[in-house]
Amino acid sequence: MIEFTPEQEEFRRAVARFVDAEVVPAAEAIDARAEFPWTLFKRIGELGYLGLRYPEAYGGAGADMVTYCLFAEELARGSLSVAAAAAMQSLMGTYFIYAHGSEALRRKYLVPALRGDLVATFALTEPNAGSDVANITTRAERRGDRWVLSGGKTWVTNAPVADVLTVAAKTSAERGMKNIALFLLDRSTMRGITLGKKIDKIRVMTAAISVGLARAAYGAALAYARERVAFGKPIVEHQAIGFKLADMVTQLHAATLMTYQAAARLDARRAITREAAMVKLFASEMAVTVTDEAVRIFASYGLAMEYPVQRYFRDARFLLPGGGTSEILRVVIGRDLDWDRSQAFA
């Protein structure tokens, strides 16, 4: 059973109020313009949400992973685009600066990033190296007292507007993980950084964001089914539609439990490699299924731009490859197929 503390429940309500008041009204325009959500990004920083996972000494809140997932879920309910940008900033984009950077680098980059004053990102994936990280070809060569990086990255969230990038590169041509190093690049002082063409992707993040997106789609479908009348009664009362909604809410319920159980395990500092793969696999596939069924319930109106359900349908698709494809996640899970009942309650 998942139980939240009173403080976590109040935090969730506060985020929900912010999402309903400021994110939901802007979501359609953000999607239509396909631009970085500067105004909301700054607001999220001002509210302290970008620093949830970091110590108070750097402007953070020192929150646990369960609390962070509550934030991510509610934000994704309003806009997956905004949630993806915030997630990159508050996790991967800033994590390596905090974990491996000097105190001077933390003060120069981490602190303003957590306020939303600069944008940070993480560049790992390459055109020919995604899940196979050992296959990256970006090289870092030592020349005197400097390192020179050469290569190309792709699928870098927030790249067009990033002020600082953590870049993974190989320090030798030898294949493997041991010769991969991380480099912090400040775009204002670096030469030779160029942007490739913008990729119109349908956006990314993890299990909590999948749950938030699915919640939005389910809520929209349920409201529509209660209002839409066919053959003399609301379509929710027709078994064909009622069964769809029943399956949707069941999968959403299961994904929510899995997500917060995994978050609690992480907070308890337990190894969750397999569990993380399982919850990401289940939650992202669930989001795709739920958004697809939501569109079916709306029928032809599901394709109309006046309803947000078409945006939920598009957004859900990138949850599949983002953070690891379903196929790769099954490989991870398949490495340890032993299971006993007690594991589900541990």
Side-chain angles (χ1 to χ4, degrees):
M1 181 177 179
I2 306 298
E3 292 186 355
F4 302 118
T5 66
E7 293 77 13
Q8 288 170 335
E9 288 284 9
E10 177 53 38
F11 172 78
R12 185 195 64 76
R13 288 191 289 269
V15 177
R17 288 193 294 269
F18 162 69
V19 168
D20 290 337
E22 301 185 43
V23 180
V24 172
E28 184 179 347
I30 290 171
D31 181 68
R33 292 195 301 265
E35 296 175 351
F36 189 79
W38 284 111
T39 301
L40 285 172
F41 183 82
K42 285 289 294 180
R43 279 288 290 145
I44 292 168
E46 291 169 1
L47 292 168
Y49 296 149
L50 295 177
L52 283 173
R53 293 286 289 152
Y54 295 99
E56 294 181 8
Y58 301 105
D64 56 25
M65 194 61 187
V66 169
T67 300
Y68 182 85
C69 285
L70 289 169
F71 159 70
E73 179 189 339
E74 289 296 337
L75 193 58
R77 178 178 62 82
S79 168
L80 191 72
S81 300
V82 175
M88 173 54 76
Q89 180 84 355
S90 58
L91 294 178
M92 299 298 286
T94 47
Y95 172 76
F96 298 105
I97 303 173
Y98 168 70
H100 304 295
S102 65
E103 187 64 19
L105 289 176
R106 291 176 182 176
R107 293 296 169 187
K108 184 175 181 179
Y109 297 111
L110 178 64
V111 172
L114 298 187
R115 291 196 304 259
D117 292 338
L118 62 78
V119 180
T121 192
F122 178 54
L124 173 66
T125 303
E126 298 179 2
N128 295 310
S131 300
D132 185 8
V133 177
N135 197 43
I136 66 171
T137 58
T138 296
R139 286 293 305 277
E141 297 182 71
R142 188 89 187 208
R143 297 183 187 175
D145 62 349
R146 298 183 179 184
W147 286 93
V148 176
L149 274 64
S150 59
K153 299 292 184 178
T154 189
W155 302 114
V156 182
T157 302
N158 297 348
V161 296
D163 300 293
V164 59
L165 304 89
T166 300
V167 180
K170 283 190 174 181
T171 55
S172 75
E174 183 181 344
R175 179 180 168 81
M177 299 290 289
K178 292 183 179 180
N179 63 336
I180 295 178
L182 298 177
F183 295 84
L184 188 63
L185 277 61
D186 184 327
R187 181 169 283 167
S188 68
T189 61
M190 293 292 105
R191 293 177 298 170
I193 299 178
T194 58
L195 288 175
K197 69 175 183 177
K198 180 181 177 183
I199 300 175
D200 291 325
K201 51 188 182 292
I202 315 178
R203 299 157 201 115
V204 59
M205 218 33 198
T206 51
I209 291 180
S210 298
V211 169
L213 178 66
R215 274 182 60 201
Y218 174 75
L222 179 60
Y224 181 79
R226 285 171 171 167
E227 295 171 0
R228 177 71 170 176
V229 175
F231 303 104
K233 59 183 178 180
I235 62 173
V236 70
E237 297 179 17
H238 292 281
Q239 196 174 70
I241 300 300
F243 279 7
K244 284 183 183 294
L245 290 163
D247 287 341
M248 291 161 70
V249 76
T250 299
Q251 292 183 57
L252 180 54
H253 182 78
T256 302
L257 292 177
M258 290 180 69
T259 297
Y260 287 99
Q261 183 186 51
R265 283 173 176 260
L266 189 62
D267 287 333
R269 299 184 182 279
R270 300 182 60 180
I272 63 163
T273 300
R274 186 181 68 162
E275 286 78 5
M278 291 167 67
V279 69
K280 196 278 174 179
L281 171 66
F282 186 84
S284 59
E285 294 282 0
M286 176 278 302
V288 169
T289 299
V290 168
T291 55
D292 180 71
E293 292 289 26
V295 168
R296 291 170 185 262
I297 289 171
F298 273 78
S300 57
Y301 288 108
L303 304 177
M305 299 302 287
E306 63 184 286
Y307 290 100
V309 70
Q310 48 76 30
R311 171 163 49 84
Y312 305 147
F313 177 83
R314 289 184 284 112
D315 283 347
R317 267 55 199 170
F318 201 78
L319 291 167
L320 295 179
T325 65
S326 294
E327 291 71 25
I328 286 294
L329 294 171
R330 288 186 174 99
V331 169
V332 173
I333 297 166
R335 291 171 183 161
D336 181 11
L337 292 176
D338 291 332
W339 185 84
D340 62 72
R341 184 175 179 275
S342 63
Q343 290 178 328
F345 302 95

